[in-house]
Amino acid sequence: EFLSYLILVAVNILGMFCLLGGICEFVEFTIPEWESIHFAKVLTFGISLIPAVIMISAMAFMLYELSGNVVSGMLLQFLAALSLSYISGCFYPASFFPESVQLIGKILPSGLATGYASLCMRSETGIFVLIGMFGYTVAFVVITILLRKRKLEQK
């Protein structure tokens, strides 16, 4: 089931980047850094984000398995995404938080995904970020399997 969910999410994300890439072909940007953006560059960036998409999808799938039904799963996922993104500096600059909160925000799944996206934008590779995301992905999948096993044993 996780593979089906992951494929659905990945296809949606890549579709979004294809749409954005197509828009970039026809829009002239006045920002000098964005003038060289074209379809292939946008699509390459979208493809490079696949490890982050896998990790976030595994976390979302685990949260759905943790909840009792679809509505509570959606609420749990929304609240988790909102709080993790806030602490990681996606909504509010992380530099305004105390250093301890900044450190926690960097090692949370959303912080790793944001850091990885930043590395991808600069065409850099961060092996430690990839290892961290792989660790989170494995942990989320294992927790999901254990939760599913426990639910099936209770029935």
Side-chain angles (χ1 to χ4, degrees):
E1 286 182 30
F2 172 63
L3 231 63
S4 300
Y5 180 73
L6 176 61
I7 290 169
L8 177 71
V9 171
V11 166
N12 282 323
I13 295 286
L14 290 177
M16 180 186 69
F17 276 101
C18 285
L19 181 66
L20 288 173
I23 291 171
C24 288
E25 288 293 322
F26 298 107
V27 175
E28 290 187 30
F29 294 104
T30 57
I31 301 170
E33 291 83 5
W34 288 12
E35 287 177 354
S36 66
I37 291 181
H38 49 83
F39 180 80
K41 204 175 237 187
V42 173
L43 188 59
T44 302
F45 175 67
I47 291 170
S48 68
L49 291 180
I50 287 178
V53 169
I54 293 171
M55 179 190 62
I56 297 298
S57 296
M59 183 179 74
F61 196 73
M62 181 199 68
L63 291 174
Y64 277 120
E65 191 65 37
L66 189 62
S67 64
N69 56 37
V70 176
V71 174
S72 61
M74 287 175 58
L75 285 172
L76 181 60
Q77 184 183 4
F78 176 75
L79 291 174
L82 190 67
S83 58
L84 288 174
S85 298
Y86 182 75
I87 292 173
S88 298
C90 295
F91 297 133
Y92 195 75
S95 59
F96 288 108
F97 293 122
E99 286 189 28
S100 58
V101 175
Q102 289 179 32
L103 178 64
I104 291 169
K106 286 180 184 177
I107 60 174
L108 288 172
S110 55
L112 286 177
T114 303
Y116 181 72
S118 175
L119 289 171
C120 289
M121 280 185 179
R122 297 188 309 253
S123 299
E124 297 175 9
T125 55
I127 190 72
F128 295 114
V129 175
L130 279 170
I131 290 171
M133 289 193 311
F134 179 75
Y136 270 122
T137 302
V138 169
F140 293 144
V141 169
V142 168
I143 291 169
T144 302
I145 291 169
L146 294 174
L147 287 169
R148 175 72 57 93
K149 184 179 177 183
R150 189 182 82 190
K151 282 183 181 180
L152 290 175
E153 287 174 352
Q154 288 178 352
K155 288 186 177 183

